[in-house]
Amino acid sequence: MPNLLIELFSEEIPARMQARAAQDLQKRMTDGLVEAGLTYGGARAFSTPRRIALAIEDLLAASPTIREERKGPRTDAPDKAIEGFLRGAGLTRDQLEQRDTPKGAVYFATIEKPGRPAAAIVAEVLEQTIRNFPWPKSMRWGEGSLRWVRPLHSILCILSTEEGAETVPFEIDGITAGNTTRGHRFMGAAPFAVTGFDDYAAKLKRAHVILDAEERAGHILHEAQNRAFASGFELFEDRGLLAEVAGLVEWPVVLMGEIGADFLDLPPEVLQTSMREHQKFFSLRNPKTGRIERFITVANIETPDHGATILAGNQKVLAARLSDAKFFWENDLRTIREKGLEGMAAGLSDVTFHNKLGSQADRIKRIEALAREIAPMVGAKPDLAAEAARVAKADLQSEMVGEFPELQGVMGRYYAQAAGHDDGVPEACEEHYKPLGPGDAVPTNPVSVAVALADKIDTLTGFWAIDEKPTGSKDPYALRRAALGVIRLVLGNGLRVSIADIAEKALGRSVFAREIAIARQDDQPFMADDLERNFPNASIPGEDSEKVPDLLAFIHDRLKVHLRDEGIRHDVIDACLAMEGNDDLTLLVNRAEALSAFLKTDDGDNLLQGFKRANNILTQAEEKDGVEYSFGADVKFAETDEEKALFAALDSAEPEIASAMKAEDFAAAMAAMAQLRAPTDAFFEAVQVNAENEVLRRNRLNLLSRIRTLCLSVADLTRIQG
Amino acid sequence: MTSQTARPRSFQDIILRLQSYWAEQGCAIMQPYDMEVGAGTFHPATTLRSLGTRPWAAAYVQPSRRPTDGRYGENPNRLQHYYQYQVLIKPSPPDLQDLYLGSLKAIGIDMALHDIRFVEDDWESPTLGAWGLGWEVWCDGMEVSQFTYFQQVGGHDCHPVSGELTYGLERLAMYVLGIDHVMDMPFNDPDARIPLSYGDVFRQTEEEYSRWNFDIADTDILLRHFQEAEAECEAILTQAHHDPKTDKRIVMAHPAYDQCIKASHIFNLLDARGVISVTERQAYIGRVRALARKCADAFVLTEAGGYPAP
């Protein structure tokens, strides 16, 4: 069986697209071939900056012949019908077969689709693949209309067997497939012909191209580690950067350079960010000094001077970059020395946060007030939380963050330390943005937690105040992420706080901010003055208070998504959400986890059925009788042992559950509930609730209501499905 | 002229080599456009000529102004007035990358010693309503050129596609000549009877323009000029194509485009004066883009724009 080799050779493919492109080539080709009847043994795809390639082993040499039998009209059917059948089958009447069936003589056609040689099928599938290739961005070039990621130059497409290789006849927009390719742009010589995959990979290597991106990455990592080790340094491993760099070179040459002594005192994050983002350098740390002192760059060429010119150039570019960074760092430190962090933050009053909510400085005041209120709930000192909130965003005004926005927070920590802040304040400057996403760590330092919560809740109430809630897939202010941040901060730290209370306080300030912004925009200074005089705390409490439950519902929705990811069903969460105190997220989740575990047990599931049965009977009776059965069940009217046993079980479970609930020990409450399962089952087995005797019936209904009340005190089981 | 094999010795040497290299490749060597522009792309030889079906090949130096980049001549790399070298070939030839590498060789970059890389960098100009795909070209980690295949200009799909090369001349020359501060770069030959550095030529003007750009330019006048240029551009384009005086069909795409260029530069000046807020910025850019679009619409109705369509 032949092997197929395809290479699509183009101008430089963006590094971030290469791996995916190789996978897409493999998937689209193999899907198309299999659909056309060509099965295969194995397939592998490859990418370099200038090519994507696919090697398929043991492909069928031709697709199998397919025979299909079709039943046609009766032989005495009108000519029109028979002609139609012939057209559909592509046959003439003499090729049909007559067969007797219970419905009379009927025509049958046997259609034979002959197999086709692999080359013809490969050409068709390749054309479809190239024309419909899912590049994230594609382009045209020259006078052509073909689209590719960058101009496509040549196509290699061969089928090879032990007898030799044959080029698949194929042409697309003036490019004719052949059996040749090219090596490295500068180190490869003339184009060369190949006879199969092994020959291809070997000749490429001779022409200074490593075909396999994994191999290139492995080589880079190995060499970089060796260089680092030999000089007594440690390599900062960076998977993302490694993959990117492996996509920028066909022949990686690892070079190690020095960072000028002038720059060694810059924070390591600054060195690393500048080197990674701008130059694609890896950082090397000196374990003795703890500083980043060297870098690794990966060139795409071997030179007679062993990279000396390349390294000198790279060092020069780096020095220019780091001079900028050092200039920013020193300017920022000078600003802090002269004016303090608050001085640095002063410019934030000119930065608009949102035109309906005022400036960043206004927002920081709100966060400060809220952080002060939250502090005691999370074990932080109010003054420290307020101090941290005041300076946490000062670094947004620093020159360094202006140049490297990704360093926001990190620079805040350095600058807070430089300004003499202590006691968790510098950490809060860095951590108050966290957690940024589902995978990001949750801060635990109490000052950080207070400011982080205040930051996120203010964001939420602010956009709620101006009716900018997320809709559908649109969430331009990342409010879902903010809500998830609140949830993870609370749960991650086991905080016992009322989100509704905090949100209410925050909303009052957000509404004030909105009103001031409106007043200022309308150019009526007296209105703004009035507002400030009437609300000296910069808060309008109670206004728009319906937004608090709405926001809480939004947070609950995010919590459902979060818990679903943790394996808790949405109806279980609904059952707990229906209980009082549902804005205490820790309590809510404890309850949901206990209930979820309980329902997975046999007792739990059966008790649920018992509860539902009791509830149904009760509801029907209550509807029919127009009364609520809730009180007065008396054991003296109990007739059977089962009935008496249920009274006894309830008598013992009720106080047990009540005290467990008081202690918020949901597991113990559920365990106590589990003891009701057997007596409840036995009761329903032996006793008819709707007895003839009205006294007995009422008593039994009231007994059921005890089960209902007890169960509902733990969670709203009516919401559980199944 | 310096021989092509020896290393270049001055800024102008590099420009001259690029000129003669691209002349040899068959480009029309054009002169800079006689208006203030932010980049070589604004020259009608690029913006307008990349539209329509007629083939085109041009190369030129374009003095470019970016008022916000002024540093009073003190920063080693930043200037408010600098030079770009621009090449535009339509349709883009299949060997454009090789032609480009040939130009680096022509200015003394030895491909065997340096690490040349094509790193993804897609280009777009919100003011021109233009975008393309391509790379920034790195030489030993330094960006030395922008390489773009135009896909759309003035809101029009480019058919055929033009290949555009832009060299930042000062940065490239500093690298080739081994100079650390732009003002120290020899402008003419260091052994000339009167050797002049880049600083001799431009330090004073950088200072003067930096002060004017940042602090003095009269923003009321600029705002009025912006509106006038916008109005004039639109007025030109609403004229009938038939000229009653000559009885000819004359679509005035170029005069209208001049007004678009003017509006764009005035916007840059206003930006440097810090009188444009973040939200206004988008609105101004949108207004210039609307002009560019209308000029492009007009250009494709001219002979140079391929009218009437074959």
Side-chain angles (χ1 to χ4, degrees):
Chain A
M1 280 191 281
N3 296 331
L4 174 65
L5 175 65
I6 296 171
E7 180 203 63
L8 302 169
F9 183 91
S10 67
E11 296 178 12
E12 277 76 355
I13 306 165
R16 65 190 170 93
M17 301 178 188
Q18 290 164 18
R20 181 62 201 267
Q23 284 169 20
D24 286 336
L25 176 64
Q26 175 169 343
K27 171 142 186 28
R28 296 209 166 208
M29 282 303 301
T30 52
D31 283 359
L33 293 173
V34 169
E35 198 179 320
L38 287 187
T39 52
Y40 62 97
R44 278 183 76 195
F46 303 90
S47 63
T48 80
R50 294 209 290 170
R51 64 200 91 217
I52 51 176
L54 173 65
I56 296 182
E57 281 181 358
D58 298 333
L59 191 67
L60 286 184
S63 58
T65 299
I66 297 168
R67 291 168 68 95
E68 181 197 351
E69 191 177 81
R70 265 191 225 173
K71 187 180 169 194
R74 284 160 55 114
T75 50
D76 56 358
D79 278 356
K80 260 198 164 165
I82 295 170
E83 277 160 21
F85 177 64
L86 287 171
R87 247 195 323 278
L91 297 175
T92 54
R93 195 177 290 216
D94 58 322
Q95 291 172 303
L96 297 182
E97 186 191 337
Q98 291 188 29
R99 279 189 219 160
D100 288 326
T101 73
K103 288 179 182 169
V106 168
Y107 280 123
F108 278 84
T110 304
I111 305 165
E112 196 173 281
K113 280 193 193 153
R116 298 167 60 218
I121 295 173
V122 166
E124 271 173 26
V125 177
L126 184 55
E127 162 141 21
Q128 286 306 310
T129 300
I130 292 175
R131 291 208 187 277
N132 303 315
F133 205 81
W135 292 109
K137 270 185 188 174
S138 64
M139 55 165 274
R140 294 171 288 105
W141 61 94
E143 289 177 286
S145 60
L146 189 63
R147 302 188 73 90
W148 200 243
V149 64
R150 292 294 183 274
L152 181 63
H153 279 279
S154 65
I155 297 170
L156 180 154
C157 186
I158 55 171
L159 281 164
S160 44
T161 58
E162 277 158 22
E163 284 88 64
E166 112 186 68
T167 300
V168 173
F170 174 67
E171 199 249 70
I172 187 166
D173 277 41
I175 304 169
T176 306
N179 63 349
T180 61
T181 185
R182 271 164 280 183
H184 190 276
R185 187 190 281 286
F186 301 108
M187 289 186 290
F192 50 86
V194 303
T195 57
F197 177 72
D198 292 341
D199 186 43
Y200 169 72
K203 280 181 177 157
L204 273 181
K205 199 161 269 182
R206 247 175 283 153
H208 293 94
V209 173
I210 298 177
L211 179 62
D212 187 351
E214 289 289 321
E215 189 184 335
R216 293 194 301 275
H219 174 82
I220 293 167
L221 185 61
H222 180 74
E223 282 289 302
Q225 280 167 336
N226 275 356
R227 294 298 174 89
F229 180 76
S231 316
F233 288 87
E234 288 169 356
L235 175 74
F236 271 90
E237 288 197 23
D238 185 334
R239 295 252 140 228
L241 182 62
L242 182 62
E244 187 182 358
V245 170
L248 288 171
V249 293
E250 293 201 309
W251 190 255
V253 176
V254 171
L255 302 169
M256 185 174 70
E258 275 183 52
I259 298 168
D262 285 358
F263 308 118
L264 295 180
D265 291 332
L266 284 169
E269 291 92 340
V270 171
L271 290 172
Q272 226 182 329
T273 303
S274 177
M275 294 202 294
R276 184 186 58 219
E277 297 303 318
H278 294 308
Q279 304 300 134
K280 321 283 181 210
F281 289 174
F282 294 90
S283 298
L284 298 188
R285 203 171 69 99
N286 182 342
K288 292 189 198 99
T289 60
R291 297 186 305 195
I292 294 176
E293 296 178 2
R294 301 271 167 106
F295 66 84
I296 291 281
T297 182
V298 182
N300 189 34
I301 189 167
E302 283 171 9
T303 63
D305 64 353
H306 306 289
T309 308
I310 295 171
L311 202 52
N314 274 287
Q315 254 160 209
K316 193 165 173 170
V317 181
L318 179 64
R321 292 275 186 202
L322 294 183
S323 301
D324 279 351
K326 188 176 156 77
F327 180 73
F328 300 142
W329 169 246
E330 285 169 355
N331 280 357
D332 288 342
L333 290 179
R334 186 176 324 115
T335 305
I336 291 164
R337 263 200 312 280
E338 288 166 5
K339 304 183 205 158
L341 263 191
E342 281 92 343
M344 180 180 263
L348 288 172
S349 55
D350 297 327
V351 179
T352 305
F353 169 62
H354 187 286
N355 60 3
K356 290 182 180 166
L357 290 169
S359 71
Q360 278 282 17
D362 296 336
R363 175 165 136 79
I364 288 167
K365 279 188 200 138
R366 299 197 295 274
I367 296 174
E368 180 186 342
L370 192 59
R372 186 183 283 283
E373 286 161 355
I374 294 173
M377 309 176 200
V378 302
K381 288 189 185 141
D383 284 348
L384 278 178
E387 178 187 326
R390 216 159 37 236
V391 299
K393 293 187 192 295
D395 67 341
L396 294 181
Q397 285 298 99
S398 69
E399 296 187 19
M400 187 71 85
V401 174
E403 180 69 12
F404 298 110
E406 60 270 54
L407 287 177
Q408 75 170 25
V410 172
M411 295 321 295
R413 170 163 53 84
Y414 281 108
Y415 292 151
Q417 277 161 356
H421 291 278
D422 205 348
D423 291 329
V425 172
E427 289 73 15
C429 292
E430 179 168 6
E431 293 175 343
H432 81 283
Y433 294 106
K434 291 173 175 271
L436 281 172
D440 196 21
V442 176
T444 54
N445 152 35
V447 180
S448 302
V449 173
V451 183
L453 263 182
D455 184 57
K456 288 166 184 63
I457 292 175
D458 175 78
T459 301
L460 290 167
T461 57
F463 286 102
W464 247 253
I466 60 169
D467 295 317
E468 286 277 3
K469 294 186 276 187
T471 51
S473 61
K474 285 205 182 108
D475 184 11
Y477 304 108
L479 301 181
R480 293 194 178 104
R481 192 173 80 184
L484 181 62
V486 170
I487 291 164
R488 294 193 55 216
L489 279 161
V490 170
L491 300 183
N493 289 288
L495 299 180
R496 301 301 307 275
V497 294
S498 159
I499 293 294
D501 286 356
I502 299 175
E504 204 173 306
K505 292 188 174 98
L507 183 70
R509 296 191 186 95
S510 297
V511 169
F512 178 82
R514 178 189 73 199
E515 294 304 313
I516 280 275
I518 293 170
R520 285 185 186 144
Q521 269 166 16
D522 290 351
D523 207 14
Q524 295 180 325
F526 62 89
M527 264 180 63
D529 288 349
D530 278 356
L531 276 169
E532 276 166 356
R533 206 169 26 250
N534 292 337
F535 302 100
N537 295 326
S539 173
I540 309 182
E543 184 84 2
D544 288 354
S545 59
E546 78 285 353
K547 289 184 189 298
V548 171
D550 190 50
L551 174 58
L552 189 62
F554 177 74
I555 293 175
H556 282 153
D557 277 347
R558 301 330 295 165
L559 181 65
K560 280 189 203 175
V561 175
H562 177 66
L563 291 181
R564 195 186 309 147
D565 293 345
E566 316 244 297
I568 299 183
R569 293 190 338 230
H570 68 94
D571 56 337
V572 171
I573 303 163
D574 281 335
C576 300
L577 278 176
M579 305 304 288
E580 245 180 74
N582 66 7
D583 69 329
D584 177 340
L585 303 181
T586 300
L587 184 77
L588 178 61
V589 171
N590 286 348
R591 193 192 296 263
E593 281 171 349
L595 181 58
S596 180
F598 178 59
L599 290 177
K600 280 177 192 154
T601 65
D602 204 32
D603 278 350
D605 189 43
N606 280 299
L607 180 72
L608 177 69
Q609 301 315 322
F611 163 81
K612 291 210 154 171
R613 194 163 169 189
N615 191 42
N616 286 341
I617 293 169
L618 265 171
T619 314
Q620 280 165 15
E622 285 174 337
E623 266 170 28
K624 183 165 159 243
D625 305 346
V627 292
E628 191 179 321
Y629 293 98
S630 59
F631 180 71
D634 196 331
V635 71
K636 75 179 178 206
F637 296 116
E639 276 194 328
T640 63
D641 288 347
E642 287 82 359
E643 209 170 351
K644 285 176 193 150
L646 185 55
F647 269 101
L650 280 167
D651 286 343
S652 94
E654 274 165 350
E656 219 174 306
I657 289 175
S659 77
M661 290 303 292
K662 205 169 171 199
E664 293 171 355
D665 186 346
F666 297 109
M670 308 273 174
M673 264 170 66
Q675 293 166 16
L676 290 175
R677 177 226 164 157
T680 306
D681 285 355
F683 173 82
F684 280 123
E685 191 71 26
V687 179
Q688 190 188 355
V689 177
N690 286 312
E692 295 282 322
N693 180 331
E694 196 51 31
V695 176
L696 288 184
R697 176 173 176 266
R698 241 193 337 265
N699 198 55
R700 284 172 187 164
L701 287 168
N702 282 329
L703 176 63
L704 292 188
S705 109
R706 275 179 72 182
I707 299 180
R708 177 169 72 179
T709 308
L710 193 59
C711 289
L712 289 180
S713 75
V714 178
D716 185 353
L717 297 185
T718 59
R719 303 198 182 233
I720 302 292
Q721 289 162 3
Chain B
M1 202 179 129
T2 330
S3 100
Q4 293 289 316
T5 47
R7 294 184 58 78
R9 291 160 56 84
S10 67
F11 185 51
Q12 69 188 31
D13 194 0
I14 285 171
I15 295 175
L16 291 169
R17 287 176 186 225
L18 285 174
Q19 297 278 54
S20 74
Y21 175 81
W22 285 108
E24 280 161 28
Q25 309 312 320
C27 287
I29 301 302
M30 306 205 36
Q31 300 306 318
Y33 203 56
D34 59 341
M35 291 185 70
E36 298 138 310
V37 295
T41 310
F42 277 86
H43 196 308
T46 289
T47 312
L48 296 183
R49 294 290 177 157
S50 64
L51 293 161
T53 50
R54 295 183 57 163
W56 182 255
Y60 53 90
V61 176
Q62 180 62 50
S64 306
R65 300 191 188 213
R66 293 202 179 154
T68 45
D69 278 355
R71 295 293 184 273
Y72 300 83
E74 287 162 11
N75 187 291
N77 302 302
R78 275 188 201 272
L79 301 160
Q80 57 84 40
H81 172 282
Y82 65 103
Y83 290 105
Q84 285 193 341
Y85 196 84
Q86 176 87 6
V87 180
L88 189 88
I89 305 180
K90 177 175 78 173
S92 64
D95 57 348
L96 188 56
Q97 279 187 316
D98 291 333
L99 291 177
Y100 167 75
L101 292 171
S103 75
L104 294 187
K105 212 166 158 187
I107 59 172
I109 294 180
D110 180 353
M111 300 294 150
L113 275 182
H114 293 274
D115 185 29
I116 309 291
R117 230 82 75 67
F118 293 84
V119 180
E120 177 190 16
D121 189 36
D122 300 337
W123 172 83
E124 64 171 6
S125 167
T127 38
L128 288 175
W131 68 275
L133 300 192
W135 311 273
E136 50 182 50
V137 184
W138 286 14
C139 175
D140 304 335
M142 151 127 22
E143 184 194 341
V144 289
S145 304
Q146 189 80 35
F147 191 132
T148 308
Y149 291 100
F150 279 180
Q151 301 295 300
Q152 216 178 49
V153 172
H156 289 250
D157 279 346
C158 298
H159 267 297
V161 167
S162 301
E164 185 214 39
L165 308 172
T166 304
Y167 307 71
L169 280 174
E170 283 83 356
R171 190 172 0 180
L172 179 61
M174 283 165 69
Y175 189 65
V176 171
L177 300 171
I179 306 291
D180 291 328
H181 197 298
V182 63
M183 294 298 170
D184 299 335
M185 178 161 61
F187 201 101
N188 61 0
D189 195 289
D191 295 333
R193 187 195 306 254
I194 304 173
L196 294 169
S197 70
Y198 196 93
D200 292 332
V201 182
F202 283 122
R203 189 190 306 275
Q204 182 178 326
T205 53
E206 279 299 306
E207 239 176 45
E208 293 177 9
Y209 277 104
S210 293
R211 183 175 178 204
W212 183 72
N213 291 338
F214 287 127
D215 302 323
I216 306 299
D218 187 319
T219 54
D220 291 340
I221 294 179
L222 289 173
L223 282 166
R224 204 172 66 230
H225 283 350
F226 183 91
Q227 283 157 9
E228 285 167 357
E230 189 180 36
E232 177 68 2
C233 179
E234 283 172 353
I236 294 170
L237 292 175
T238 50
Q239 295 298 314
H241 294 174
H242 178 256
D243 173 34
K245 203 169 90 189
T246 60
D247 196 29
K248 283 183 174 173
R249 182 176 174 280
I250 306 180
V251 180
M252 294 168 287
H254 286 81
Y257 181 62
D258 283 354
Q259 299 301 319
C260 170
I261 294 180
K262 203 172 273 185
S264 171
H265 179 63
I266 293 168
F267 160 71
N268 288 340
L269 285 170
L270 286 166
D271 199 21
R273 290 286 280 114
V275 295
I276 292 182
S277 73
V278 181
T279 36
E280 282 175 323
R281 233 184 111 74
Q282 288 314 311
Y284 271 100
I285 290 172
R287 283 162 75 178
V288 177
R289 181 168 57 242
L291 297 181
R293 199 173 275 256
K294 286 176 189 166
C295 293
D297 294 347
F299 181 75
V300 296
L301 297 177
T302 68
E303 202 190 326
Y307 183 88

